[in-house]
Amino acid sequence: MNGRTTKAEVRIQQEDFSQDEEISALRASSKRMGGIATFIGCARDFSEGRSVAKISFDAYGSMAEAEMKKLRAEAIARFTLLDARIVHRVGVVGAGEQIVFIAAGAEHRAPALQACHWLIDELKLRVPIWKKEITPEGESWVTSHP
Amino acid sequence: MNGRTTKAEVRIQQEDFSQDEEISALRASSKRMGGIATFIGCARDFSEGRSVAKISFDAYGSMAEAEMKKLRAEAIARFTLLDARIVHRVGVVGAGEQIVFIAAGAEHRAPALQACHWLIDELKLRVPIWKKEITPEGESWVTSHP
Amino acid sequence: MIRVLFFGPVAERVGSSEIQVTFATGMRLQDLHRQMQGMYPAAFEIVCFTAMNGEHVRDMQLPVSDNSEVVFMSKFSGG
Amino acid sequence: MIRVLFFGPVAERVGSSEIQVTFATGMRLQDLHRQMQGMYPAAFEIVCFTAMNGEHVRDMQLPVSDNSEVVFMSKFSGG
């Protein structure tokens, strides 16, 4: 639209992401956007009483991306968003690093905030990605939804 | 904590802000942070049927900053946040530009998302800042809360 | 002296962002409000909050001390 | 041939992320599930979702066509 090449709205990738870059791509879609809500999930260094050094992600990549695209389309329709973006990292992520990014932009703030909350909740339920916590005592797959 | 100088958690400023910078300052406060919710308010190019070229902000600066600090402390206590940041611009902001930034970080996602929503709602009610829309037809102060 | 400040739409209607009012013993916020309202009726049509020395005040019976900063404000529209 | 894929904790318990299963006429998802469960009982203790050709499947009576991709999955833990 403005001649810049921007990354896809929905992505699964190994590398970290930049909020500034994602927000600027989101905002480029409309000047009617009055509210943008984002959610960033980070790798905590502590989980259920154990210290966690790293988290390793496995994904059913093709289906995960397809489900994330469906989620984006559903959120746009359901909350009348102007645009939305979802990025999820795979591979190994160190403690304190970013894992997932969600952004929802709407004319007003309430739909943007509600859509962002809905998107991260639904992503956890519907998108085939699994995390394994790597601790000094060993590794274990996570099965609950905290 | 890590030797970098970071900006204050609560600020009123003329210049634009960077999400990457704010989020990185927020995350530096704790590695237990599993969820970060942010809200960005932008200047829309259209409001109540008129096109808007710019928005000009006036603030009772000392009280606005004090109220924003109170809001941050209240949100941290109420939602058990690990950290929170609030930045509001004053002066003249062009259509499509960023106005306000809120970030809330917690161990888990729900309190972060709820706190972010609460903070922007309360900011609009409690912080003495006023916006004037500058349109091709003239200027007018905004008095409603959309 | 009392410093009375105005911002945004109220300042525009007053035509000024600050005026000085002579302090009088026993002065209450409602006295100051009434005096200002008489001088700037159009501005006070939209005043709905009062702050004294940087704090929201709901009780207009509150006494004003000398050298206070009082602000009569319209509904906020930040964010 | 049917490609059966495993991910995360299921793949770890199976000891493999992909196996080939010979297609048989009239095969249903539940037949494939039973066959895999017999071979990898520990892995199937945690299986709770099935996908065929990239779509969630709830009806295990669904017939499997030749060259399908079937995935038996444990509860997701992304985000």
Side-chain angles (χ1 to χ4, degrees):
Chain A
M1 184 182 274
N2 50 13
R4 288 180 306 173
T5 49
T6 51
K7 292 172 179 160
E9 293 94 351
V10 167
R11 306 192 311 276
I12 291 179
Q13 63 186 39
Q14 296 226 323
E15 61 277 23
D16 199 8
F17 47 81
S18 150
Q19 290 92 14
D20 281 336
E21 215 177 279
E22 298 299 325
I23 293 293
S24 122
L26 186 89
R27 286 170 55 205
S29 69
S30 171
K31 282 201 167 190
R32 304 237 164 141
M33 206 175 276
I36 297 169
T38 78
F39 176 79
I40 301 155
C42 299
R44 299 163 61 218
D45 70 348
F46 206 77
S47 170
E48 294 173 19
R50 298 165 313 152
S51 73
V52 175
K54 286 181 283 196
I55 297 182
S56 160
F57 288 91
D58 194 13
Y60 179 13
S62 57
M63 183 178 169
E65 202 164 295
E67 288 292 317
M68 281 160 62
K69 282 181 182 162
K70 278 188 221 166
L71 278 180
R72 174 175 177 270
E74 259 185 77
I76 289 174
R78 192 178 176 125
F79 299 96
T80 326
L81 302 179
L82 293 166
D83 200 4
R85 299 178 76 83
I86 310 175
V87 182
H88 200 299
R89 290 177 69 191
V90 289
V92 175
V93 170
E97 284 186 49
Q98 309 187 113
I99 295 167
V100 61
F101 175 81
I102 286 177
E107 287 205 34
H108 297 289
R109 70 186 184 282
L113 287 157
Q114 287 157 6
C116 186
H117 203 154
W118 182 86
L119 277 166
I120 183 62
D121 285 352
E122 292 293 313
L123 180 144
K124 289 189 172 250
L125 292 175
R126 295 203 223 168
V127 178
I129 298 180
W130 296 268
K131 67 159 74 80
K132 181 165 65 172
E133 293 177 342
I134 300 169
T135 76
E137 297 82 37
E139 308 182 352
S140 64
W141 291 98
V142 174
T143 48
S144 63
H145 293 287
Chain B
M1 185 183 273
N2 51 13
R4 289 181 305 174
T5 48
T6 50
K7 292 171 178 161
E9 293 92 353
V10 167
R11 305 193 310 276
I12 292 178
Q13 62 185 40
Q14 296 227 324
E15 61 276 23
D16 199 7
F17 46 81
S18 151
Q19 290 91 14
D20 281 336
E21 214 177 281
E22 298 300 326
I23 293 292
S24 122
L26 186 88
R27 285 169 56 204
S29 69
S30 171
K31 284 202 165 188
R32 304 239 163 139
M33 208 176 273
I36 298 168
T38 78
F39 176 79
I40 301 155
C42 299
R44 299 162 62 218
D45 70 348
F46 206 79
S47 171
E48 293 173 20
R50 299 164 313 150
S51 75
V52 176
K54 285 182 283 196
I55 297 184
S56 159
F57 289 91
D58 193 13
Y60 179 12
S62 57
M63 183 179 169
E65 202 164 293
E67 288 291 317
M68 282 160 61
K69 281 182 183 163
K70 278 188 219 165
L71 278 180
R72 174 175 176 270
E74 258 184 79
I76 288 174
R78 192 177 176 126
F79 299 96
T80 326
L81 301 180
L82 292 166
D83 200 4
R85 300 178 77 82
I86 310 175
V87 183
H88 201 300
R89 290 176 69 190
V90 289
V92 176
V93 170
E97 283 186 51
Q98 309 187 113
I99 296 168
V100 61
F101 175 82
I102 286 177
E107 287 205 35
H108 297 289
R109 71 185 185 283
L113 288 156
Q114 287 157 6
C116 186
H117 202 153
W118 182 85
L119 277 165
I120 183 64
D121 285 353
E122 291 295 313
L123 180 145
K124 288 186 172 253
L125 292 175
R126 295 202 222 167
V127 178
I129 299 180
W130 296 268
K131 65 160 75 79
K132 181 165 66 172
E133 293 177 341
I134 301 170
T135 77
E137 296 82 38
E139 307 183 350
S140 64
W141 290 99
V142 174
T143 47
S144 62
H145 292 287
Chain C
M1 276 297 177
I2 314 290
R3 285 179 72 208
V4 181
L5 308 184
F6 305 108
F7 295 96
V10 178
E12 190 176 88
R13 289 180 181 211
V14 167
S16 169
S17 59
E18 177 171 350
I19 61 168
Q20 308 274 340
V21 176
T22 309
F23 173 72
T25 312
M27 200 178 200
R28 290 171 190 278
L29 269 176
Q30 64 184 15
D31 304 323
L32 189 60
H33 185 278
R34 200 170 298 135
Q35 184 184 342
M36 294 289 102
Q37 193 168 29
M39 292 166 72
Y40 310 108
F44 276 71
E45 276 171 19
I46 57 168
V47 163
C48 50
F49 304 121
T50 304
M52 184 156 60
N53 300 320
E55 299 277 349
H56 279 290
V57 174
R58 268 161 205 87
D59 180 8
M60 297 299 283
Q61 306 276 22
L62 224 65
V64 181
S65 18
D66 200 4
N67 302 311
S68 288
E69 178 177 286
V70 176
V71 190
F72 295 109
M73 305 177 285
S74 64
K75 216 166 161 185
F76 310 143
S77 55
Chain D
M1 275 298 177
I2 314 291
R3 285 179 73 207
V4 181
L5 307 185
F6 304 109
F7 294 96
V10 178
E12 189 175 87
R13 289 180 181 211
V14 167
S16 170
S17 59
E18 177 172 350
I19 61 167
Q20 308 276 337
V21 175
T22 309
F23 173 72
T25 313
M27 200 177 199
R28 290 171 189 278
L29 270 176
Q30 65 185 15
D31 304 324
L32 189 60
H33 185 279
R34 201 170 299 136
Q35 184 184 341
M36 295 289 102
Q37 193 168 31
M39 290 165 72
Y40 310 108
F44 276 70
E45 277 171 18
I46 57 168
V47 163
C48 51
F49 304 121
T50 303
M52 185 157 58
N53 300 320
E55 298 278 350
H56 279 291
V57 175
R58 267 162 204 88
D59 181 7
M60 297 299 282
Q61 305 277 23
L62 224 65
V64 182
S65 17
D66 200 4
N67 302 310
S68 288
E69 178 176 287
V70 177
V71 190
F72 295 109
M73 303 178 288
S74 64
K75 214 167 162 185
F76 310 144
S77 55

